[in-house]
Amino acid sequence: MRHQRIRPGEVAIDLPATFDAGLYFIGRIRTPWARRDDCPKNGADSDAVCTIEVDERYEAGLRDIESVSHLIVLYFMDEAARDIVLQAPNHYKKPHGAFALRSPARPNPIAHSVARLLRVEGTRLHVIGLDCRDGTPLVDIKPYFASIDAVPDATVGWHAAEQK
Amino acid sequence: MRHQRIRPGEVAIDLPATFDAGLYFIGRIRTPWARRDDCPKNGADSDAVCTIEVDERYEAGLRDIESVSHLIVLYFMDEAARDIVLQAPNHYKKPHGAFALRSPARPNPIAHSVARLLRVEGTRLHVIGLDCRDGTPLVDIKPYFASIDAVPDATVGWHAAEQK
C-alpha cells in the first residue's frame, strides 16, 4: 500500500514480500509535536524537552544510564513510506538516494538522533534533541561514546554543494 | 529460547509474545571476522576494510552517497540474546543496563557504527570502522552530519569511573 504520492524525479521500488526480523517497541517518545508537519527538521534545531517513556518491562536495562551525558536514540517512523528510494524533498534542489538522506522514508524507517540527557525519573528520561511526533515508538537507547561516535570533520558533499 | 547463559548479577526478562514491526535485511556486511569471537570490541579499534553489499533492489537509494565522508551504519546482531537487560560483560567490574552499554545483546539488537567511506563500486561500499561478523545483515545506511551527530564532549560516567 502506498502511503504518499511520488514527486517528479522520485523512484519507488517493490519491497520484499516478507520481513526478515522483528522489532519490539520498547516505549514511546513524548514530544510537543502532535503531527508530523509540526516537527522540527532535525532534533538539533529545537531546545524542546522531550520525554522517553521506557516500558516498565525493561526497567533493569536503564541501570547507570543517569551517568551518561548523551544518548543515541533509535525510534520507528511509523508514518513513513518504505519504498521511495530516490527522493526529492522540497527543501533540496535535486533528488537524492534515501541512504544519502536523513529522511524518515527508507526501507527500514528507523530514525537516529543524539539527545542530551537532562534527568531520569524511574523509567522516564527527559532529553533535548529529538524531532519526532508525540507517541513515536522507541526502538533502542545507547550511550554516546565521543571516542567512537564523534567525527567533527565529517562532510556531506552533496549537501554542501546545495547550500552554495 | 535462551541463546546464552546468564552470568552472576545479570537479569533476563520475558519478552513480549509478538513483534510490533518488521525489518528488511537490505544487504550484508563483508568483514575479515568469520566468528563473533574474532571481532574487535568496536569498529574504532580496527583499520580493517569492510564491504557493505547493498541488495540490487535498493540501488537507487545510493545516489550521491559517494560524496559522503562518514556513514552511520545500522546492522542486525542476529546472534545476540534479546532478553538480558542487566548485563555483566567480562571486561567491566559491575553489571550495567543494556541501554547504558553498547553490547549487541538488547531487546532490539541493532548495532550502530560510524564508518569512513573509502569508495563506492556499484552497490558495494568499502568502509573502515565496522566490528561485526562476516555476513551480518544490513538494516540502514545514513549520512553522518557533523552538525547534528558530533558531540566531542559527551561523557559516559559509569565507564570513566571503571577505567580509574
Side-chain angles (χ1 to χ4, degrees), chain A residues 76-133:
Chain A
F76 197 79
M77 303 301 263
D78 51 0
E79 295 185 346
R82 299 178 70 154
D83 60 345
I84 307 177
V85 289
L86 189 64
Q87 299 175 22
N90 287 326
H91 48 287
Y92 295 131
K93 294 172 187 167
K94 294 190 298 186
H96 303 285
F99 304 124
L101 288 166
R102 290 293 277 267
S103 158
R106 48 211 316 118
N108 293 304
I110 297 173
H112 159 289
S113 287
V114 179
R116 182 157 61 87
L117 180 60
L118 300 178
R119 69 181 193 282
V120 180
E121 291 180 311
T123 55
R124 294 160 55 89
L125 314 182
H126 302 283
V127 303
I128 288 177
L130 299 181
D131 57 8
C132 56
R133 203 196 66 237

Side-chain angles (χ1 to χ4, degrees), chain B:
Chain B
M1 192 178 63
R2 300 305 316 286
H3 295 278
Q4 60 184 67
R5 268 173 302 177
I6 294 190
R7 299 189 185 93
E10 293 193 332
V11 170
I13 58 166
D14 290 326
L15 290 166
T18 56
F19 292 120
D20 299 297
L23 288 180
Y24 302 114
F25 293 163
I26 63 169
R28 295 275 166 181
I29 300 176
R30 297 297 161 194
T31 78
W33 310 293
R35 297 174 313 137
R36 184 165 55 172
D37 291 347
D38 302 332
C39 298
K41 189 160 145 275
N42 66 63
D45 287 343
S46 170
D47 282 338
V49 176
C50 301
T51 302
I52 301 171
E53 297 182 345
V54 178
D55 288 352
E56 299 284 338
R57 178 194 297 268
Y58 304 105
E59 183 170 14
L62 295 172
R63 169 101 57 102
D64 296 323
I65 205 158
E66 70 284 350
S67 74
V68 176
S69 74
H70 291 73
L71 306 174
I72 292 172
V73 186
L74 302 183
Y75 41 106
F76 198 78
M77 303 301 263
D78 51 1
E79 295 185 347
R82 299 177 71 153
D83 60 346
I84 307 178
V85 290
L86 189 64
Q87 299 175 20
N90 287 327
H91 48 287
Y92 295 130
K93 295 172 189 168
K94 293 189 298 185
H96 303 285
F99 304 123
L101 287 166
R102 291 293 276 268
S103 158
R106 47 211 316 118
N108 293 304
I110 298 172
H112 158 290
S113 286
V114 179
R116 183 157 61 89
L117 179 60
L118 300 179
R119 68 181 193 282
V120 179
E121 292 180 309
T123 55
R124 295 159 55 90
L125 314 182
H126 302 283
V127 303
I128 288 177
L130 299 181
D131 58 5
C132 56
R133 204 195 65 237
D134 185 47
T136 296
L138 177 68
V139 171
D140 198 12
I141 303 170
K142 302 177 190 290
Y144 184 101
F145 280 89
S147 56
I148 57 175
D149 299 316
V151 185
D153 59 350
T155 55
V156 179
W158 70 258
H159 190 263
E162 287 220 356
Q163 306 301 303
K164 280 176 189 163

